[in-house]
Amino acid sequence: RLTGGDEQALDAARTRLASLGGCGRVLADLVPDLAIVPADAGKLPDVPAHLAQIRSARIIADTFGKLASADVPLVLFMDDLQWFDQASLAVVRQLCSEPPPHVFLVGSFRADARNREPLKGLLDLARTSPAFADELLLPPLPEQDTEALVAFILKSVPDDVRPIAARIYQETDGNPFHIAQLLQRMLEEKLLLFAADTQKWVLNDDDRTRRHEIGALMRERIAALPPLQRRLLQRGASLGGRVPAAFIAQLCGTSLEETVRAANSLVAAGLLRQSGSDFALAHDRVLEAAYATMSPAQKADRHLDNARQLAACRPAADPHAAFEIVSQIERCDIDRLSARERPHYARILLLAA
């Protein structure tokens, strides 16, 4: 309602936001094109970096509270909490510590990451929050639902794919993403064929002892891709999962048309998804696997390239761009920065801080 043309709801939200000191400046820095930002976007007082992060987290959390109302409640879904950086975690902690009214926060995370910091600390805090509701375990699909999913993906009916689904369930334990990726891999390797005479799918693989673990399966799929598609995924992984087509084309030294064609092929393969006019890695397992296919030296090279390209195409005084560049500098080989580059990147580090 706020961005869909409901002017009355938009005006009411602006009025509530205007009462929040510093809201305009923080939101203008984070989302410059956000139309709902109030006009009080003056400069905030300089404070030490850790206090600035606390201030930003508080203002962002309070902003969610001001956007919501009894008539227009707000549901926030935050996916893959295990990948959140410190600044994002600070916002979630603030939402848990002082829950704003009419805001319902849902967070998801991988079960195997629940006991690793900093996620463990965040979960401990969330469980003690006065607004804590429940913690739900999303189990794998049972065999019958796996059968239905396999039938849906293969555009068939459950009775016709039952032997295939049983094999898939045995290998994937009902993980939906694993199911889709394994089916795609079996199609690519012609281990799964469509019989024209019976109009049914048949297995073309007698090795029932082979098991495709999800991590190894994803690395195999990525390693078998054409070079440009593989580089595109690796670049996307080095950028945190985003795949802006024009930016990747510059990094890879290819035309935009060629890059978009490669990206569309990866969408068809289930490794990328459309994200507005650009693309994003389809799943954190894709990000992990694409990043793992690079050696430590290759990773450092990619991050250095990213930092240089970001610095060349973003305004020097843009704080959001500074954060992006710093995240790349932190992962590259600093010794490879030339003496001429170092003062420039030092200014960027200072701006981000």
Side-chain angles (χ1 to χ4, degrees):
R1 290 176 61 182
L2 295 178
T3 59
D6 189 333
E7 289 298 328
Q8 185 174 359
L10 187 61
D11 288 342
R14 281 202 185 102
T15 299
R16 294 194 298 272
L17 285 173
S19 66
L20 183 60
C23 163
R25 178 68 267 162
V26 170
L27 291 184
D29 285 345
L30 291 173
V31 194
D33 298 328
L34 191 63
I36 201 171
V37 173
D40 67 334
K43 181 176 173 59
L44 291 171
D46 289 331
V47 294
H50 71 284
L51 294 179
Q53 185 176 86
I54 293 171
R55 178 176 64 188
S56 294
R58 177 186 59 77
I59 290 175
I60 292 170
D62 289 349
T63 296
F64 289 135
K66 296 297 184 182
L67 288 174
S69 67
D71 294 331
V72 188
L74 179 64
V75 178
L76 295 174
F77 178 65
M78 298 189 176
D79 197 12
D80 286 328
L81 291 173
Q82 73 274 3
W83 296 117
F84 275 33
D85 59 22
Q86 289 301 323
S88 302
L89 286 170
V91 174
V92 182
R93 290 191 194 98
Q94 179 66 30
L95 288 166
C96 293
S97 301
E98 300 179 40
H102 314 303
V103 175
F104 184 55
L105 173 64
V106 181
S108 75
F109 55 91
R110 292 216 313 239
D112 59 7
R114 67 169 65 241
N115 293 319
R116 296 202 302 262
E117 295 293 352
L119 178 61
K120 183 180 182 300
L122 175 65
L123 296 178
D124 290 343
L125 174 63
R127 294 182 187 109
T128 62
S129 170
F132 180 73
D134 205 351
E135 186 171 348
L136 303 175
L137 176 65
L138 185 62
L141 297 177
E143 190 165 2
Q144 184 177 1
D145 291 343
T146 298
E147 191 175 283
L149 179 58
V150 170
F152 175 78
I153 292 173
L154 295 179
K155 297 182 173 60
S156 185
V157 294
D159 287 345
D160 288 348
V161 299
R162 188 158 290 127
I164 299 169
R167 170 75 174 275
I168 296 293
Y169 182 74
Q170 178 186 0
E171 292 202 35
T172 64
D173 296 323
N175 181 305
F177 179 75
H178 195 171
I179 290 168
Q181 291 298 319
L182 180 56
L183 281 172
Q184 186 69 36
R185 182 65 169 157
M186 293 175 74
L187 289 169
E188 292 168 353
E189 294 184 341
K190 302 192 184 320
L191 301 178
L192 190 58
L193 302 173
F194 187 73
D197 53 345
T198 62
Q199 294 291 293
K200 293 181 180 180
W201 291 96
V202 294
L203 283 168
N204 185 36
D205 181 17
D206 295 329
D207 185 2
R208 297 181 179 274
T209 63
R210 179 170 57 175
R211 186 177 177 87
H212 294 79
E213 298 294 343
I214 183 62
L217 172 65
M218 297 309 304
R219 290 191 294 274
E220 288 174 10
R221 289 203 65 203
I222 292 170
L225 291 170
L228 177 57
Q229 293 181 28
R230 186 167 59 253
R231 292 205 312 274
L232 197 153
L233 288 180
Q234 290 172 339
R235 287 291 185 183
S238 70
L239 288 165
R242 299 177 300 107
V243 187
F247 187 75
I248 297 288
Q250 291 176 323
L251 288 170
C252 292
T254 56
S255 69
L256 179 58
E257 293 75 13
E258 189 178 4
T259 303
V260 170
R261 279 198 302 271
N264 284 330
S265 296
L266 291 168
V267 170
L271 298 171
L272 282 186
R273 60 179 173 81
Q274 198 83 32
S275 179
S277 60
D278 287 315
F279 303 89
L281 300 187
H283 195 273
D284 66 334
R285 292 287 192 183
V286 181
L287 188 153
E288 281 183 335
Y291 203 67
T293 59
M294 295 184 286
S295 69
Q298 287 175 318
K299 292 172 185 175
D301 286 345
R302 297 289 187 274
H303 288 300
L304 182 57
D305 289 345
N306 295 345
R308 285 171 169 161
Q309 189 64 34
L310 285 166
C313 68
R314 299 291 179 86
D318 181 354
H320 182 65
F323 279 116
E324 282 192 281
I325 296 167
V326 167
S327 72
Q328 298 297 321
I329 295 173
E330 289 175 339
R331 295 171 174 85
C332 73
D333 182 358
I334 299 295
D335 291 337
R336 290 192 55 200
L337 290 173
S338 68
R340 182 176 55 83
E341 289 178 303
R342 289 173 185 244
H344 177 59
Y345 286 109
R347 287 192 292 272
I348 292 174
L349 288 163
L350 182 59
L351 176 61

